Amino acid sequence: MNTVNAELSFRTLGSGSCGNMAVVRSGSTTILIDAGLGSQRLIRERLAECGVEPLQIRAALISHGHCDHLAFAGLKFCCDMGIPILGQIDTLNKATEMMVNKTGRLPDHGVLQVLAPGTRIVIGDIDVTTFFVPHDVPTMGFVLRPAGMEFPKVTVATDIGRTGDDLIGHFMDADAIFIESNYNENMLRHSARGLRDRHRVQSATGHLGNIDAGRFIGRVYNLSARKPSVVTLMHLSDDHNTPACAIEDFKSASGLSHPECFCLSTAPRNGVGPEIRVVREHCRKS
Ligand SMILES: [Zn+2]
Ligand SMILES: [Zn+2]
């Protein structure tokens, strides 16, 4: 019997309304989740900070078509580097519209590729399963694994309007979870923003608050046979949240203490986060 290590790493390059992007690596494959940073300079600088050479990137998976997840800079970067952009038809239509509006040209043939929720594909050494996420435009979350392995499993989803039972299976037994924790209820209630905007954020097709994120992961944790070692809270609002608030709300709503249960942190809004590596030992017959 040979023992082999299956490893997958996840690192955010920005998280929130000012731009979302993350790097996923396993084996010799590197992919991006979202491409919403505001400038090519920022994209290149943050990739360099992670030691990622743009030509290494095999694909960019786009969760949805909002501009904080697919910005023109990200679209142009992928087109220039020949990186396939994978997303739902609605997302790809937005990308085409953005390219035509900005440059008067269509994206290069083959750059935009359809990826629907409920699909499992393998990109090099990374296995990707997509799932439906409720939001006000067609949105997907991602389950990531080293190719050919069930574990380690990493689940990532942001811009979640509601957490129903239909989402639980995608998060259960994950080794690392990256989930939206957008707002503190009290801060949102007293926000200077208009009523309509606040209702949109709180609606079933808006964003996930700290308490809902905590309750949901509390349920996931209790139902899971394998417990996560890492939970990272993503897409924190600049106006209606703080990292300390998100952690505090999450802990009280989930009923889980950290670091006893898992390592809990928030993804930096405007900068590169720590590299989260999950490793699972597998025994393989030689
Ligand atoms: Zn969105
Ligand atoms: Zn967003």
Side-chain angles (χ1 to χ4, degrees):
M1 297 273 276
N2 274 347
T3 299
V4 293
N5 284 328
E7 178 173 325
L8 193 133
S9 80
F10 190 99
R11 194 164 191 183
T12 57
L13 278 66
S15 182
S17 54
C18 55
N20 297 272
M21 192 157 154
V23 169
V24 181
R25 289 195 266 204
S26 188
S28 61
T29 304
T30 302
I31 62 173
L32 301 177
I33 302 281
D34 287 332
L37 297 186
S39 76
Q40 288 224 33
R41 182 186 54 79
L42 217 51
I43 293 170
R44 288 172 190 278
E45 279 176 8
R46 292 191 187 170
L47 285 173
E49 208 175 323
C50 300
V52 173
E53 170 62 43
L55 289 171
Q56 296 173 338
I57 301 167
R58 285 280 298 269
L61 313 180
I62 309 299
S63 62
H64 65 295
H66 283 159
C67 61
D68 55 327
H69 298 262
L70 181 61
F72 177 67
L75 174 62
K76 183 79 170 46
F77 171 78
C78 289
C79 288
D80 290 351
M81 291 293 127
I83 299 166
I85 294 174
L86 279 61
Q88 295 189 72
I89 289 172
D90 178 85
T91 305
L92 303 185
N93 285 343
K94 290 220 168 73
T96 302
E97 195 182 308
M98 193 156 49
M99 186 61 114
V100 169
N101 286 343
K102 294 272 187 185
T103 68
R105 291 179 33 236
L106 286 168
D108 292 341
H109 182 70
V111 168
L112 302 183
Q113 299 181 13
V114 177
L115 181 63
T119 308
R120 189 165 184 173
I121 57 166
V122 173
I123 304 168
D125 294 324
I126 302 176
D127 179 313
V128 179
T129 303
T130 59
F131 60 92
F132 167 82
V133 169
H135 193 42
D136 55 1
V137 296
T139 300
M140 294 188 289
F142 305 98
V143 175
L144 307 157
R145 302 173 169 97
M149 309 274 182
E150 281 306 303
F151 299 104
K153 168 181 173 179
V154 171
T155 301
V156 51
T158 67
D159 297 41
I160 308 168
R162 57 156 183 81
T163 49
D165 289 352
D166 52 326
L167 289 180
I168 284 188
H170 303 296
F171 288 84
M172 265 174 64
D173 298 329
D175 297 279
I177 291 172
F178 296 82
I179 186 166
E180 173 169 44
S181 190
N182 185 260
Y183 60 88
N184 167 275
E185 279 70 5
N186 208 31
M187 287 172 80
L188 183 63
R189 202 172 305 123
H190 294 101
S191 164
R193 284 209 203 157
L195 198 60
R196 205 172 142 183
D197 194 13
R198 279 186 278 150
H199 280 167
R200 187 238 156 206
V201 170
Q202 279 184 303
S203 77
T205 54
H207 290 274
L208 197 64
N210 300 343
I211 298 291
D212 285 339
R215 282 193 189 130
F216 178 68
I217 296 303
R219 282 185 70 199
V220 167
Y221 188 90
N222 290 325
L223 289 168
S224 292
R226 300 155 50 83
K227 308 298 185 189
S229 54
V230 176
V231 174
T232 302
L233 306 178
M234 313 258 284
H235 212 293
L236 270 64
S237 165
D238 201 18
D239 299 330
H240 310 127
N241 214 351
T242 64
C245 237
I247 297 279
E248 211 41 56
D249 289 350
F250 183 93
K251 275 163 55 182
S252 68
S254 66
L256 302 169
S257 54
H258 99 104
E260 290 79 7
C261 295
F262 41 69
C263 172
L264 178 65
S265 63
T266 59
R269 280 177 53 78
N270 208 352
V272 176
E275 183 176 37
I276 307 292
R277 295 166 66 194
V278 283
V279 184
R280 183 64 48 177
E281 268 197 356
H282 288 259
C283 290
R284 189 175 65 181
K285 279 185 183 168
S286 55

